[in-house]
Amino acid sequence: TIGHEGAYSNDPQDRGGETYKGVSRKNHPGWMGWAFIDAAKVSKDFPNNLKDNANLQQKVKTFYEDQFWTKMRLSEISSQEVANELFDTAVNQGISTAVKYFQSALNLLNQGQKDYPDMKEDGEMGSTTIALFNAYMGTVNKYRSRTEQSNIKTLLKALNGLQFSRYTSICTNNPSQEVF
């Protein structure tokens, strides 16, 4: 995710405003990395001088781990692919939105509650959400046509579809956002 988030940006059309590696000052004004960035702005080599600042790069990694990975309990998700997708979606669309997509996808994939019950789509990564993900993954033992990888692939497609639908809505309502 960090690799896809680029470097420093301060595009006036970007709704996130000033951003470094996906961390927007508008949404995270208290992030400790802003002190390093503000100090680096006096250099004629700005923003190129940011990439060599090891302390700043560590602040980025710590921020993402603390604010997203840990808060979302992603180490409890048995599929690294699914955890990575949820993480990436949360960074781009917010934790609550990412978790709601996850809950919605799991509800849609339970075959009318035959495999496990629907859950409330509240955007909270709680024990119920994790348990129902495990129940979904456990359906490989119930259906011969399923494998762990096919379940993951299906879930990822559902998550990506929900994410794309939101991006479509954003761009339809504000075409200037298509560049982002």
Side-chain angles (χ1 to χ4, degrees):
T1 297
I2 293 171
H4 292 288
E5 288 299 334
Y8 177 82
S9 172
N10 197 6
D11 188 324
Q13 289 188 331
D14 185 347
R15 297 185 318 178
E18 185 178 22
T19 303
Y20 184 69
K21 297 250 180 183
V23 183
S24 75
R25 191 181 292 255
K26 177 181 174 186
N27 295 315
H28 305 284
W31 175 54
M32 293 170 51
W34 292 120
F36 290 99
I37 292 168
D38 292 341
K41 287 179 180 177
V42 298
S43 169
K44 65 181 177 184
D45 194 31
F46 181 80
N48 294 329
N49 59 346
L50 297 175
K51 64 184 173 206
D52 297 325
N53 186 322
N55 288 328
L56 177 59
Q57 301 316 312
Q58 186 56 49
K59 295 284 182 214
V60 170
K61 289 179 184 176
T62 300
F63 170 81
Y64 279 120
E65 183 176 355
D66 293 347
Q67 296 300 310
F68 293 92
W69 195 269
T70 301
K71 276 188 178 180
M72 293 179 69
R73 301 172 61 176
L74 294 176
S75 61
E76 297 177 49
I77 301 297
S78 61
S79 164
Q80 188 67 51
E81 290 174 274
V82 172
N84 289 350
E85 179 62 30
L86 292 170
F87 173 79
D88 187 69
T89 302
V91 167
N92 287 288
Q93 295 190 4
I95 290 173
S96 180
T97 298
V99 176
K100 283 180 183 177
Y101 292 165
F102 189 43
Q103 292 167 330
S104 177
L106 290 169
N107 283 345
L108 291 168
L109 295 172
N110 68 6
Q111 299 204 36
Q113 301 186 64
K114 284 194 290 185
D115 295 331
Y116 50 88
D118 278 343
M119 73 183 104
K120 182 178 178 185
E121 295 173 20
D122 60 5
E124 297 289 326
M125 184 69 86
S127 299
T128 300
T129 302
I130 293 168
L132 293 184
F133 167 71
N134 291 332
Y136 169 68
M137 293 305 292
T139 63
V140 300
N141 299 318
K142 186 175 181 180
Y143 303 104
R144 289 183 187 203
S145 62
R146 292 190 184 185
T147 65
E148 185 174 302
Q149 197 54 44
S150 70
N151 270 17
I152 290 169
K153 185 177 178 180
T154 300
L155 180 57
L156 291 174
K157 283 182 180 182
L159 292 170
N160 284 319
L162 292 164
Q163 186 178 20
F164 184 77
S165 178
R166 181 153 187 246
Y167 283 133
T168 300
S169 177
I170 289 169
C171 292
T172 299
N173 292 327
N174 187 349
S176 72
Q177 297 303 296
E178 286 182 26
V179 302
F180 304 107

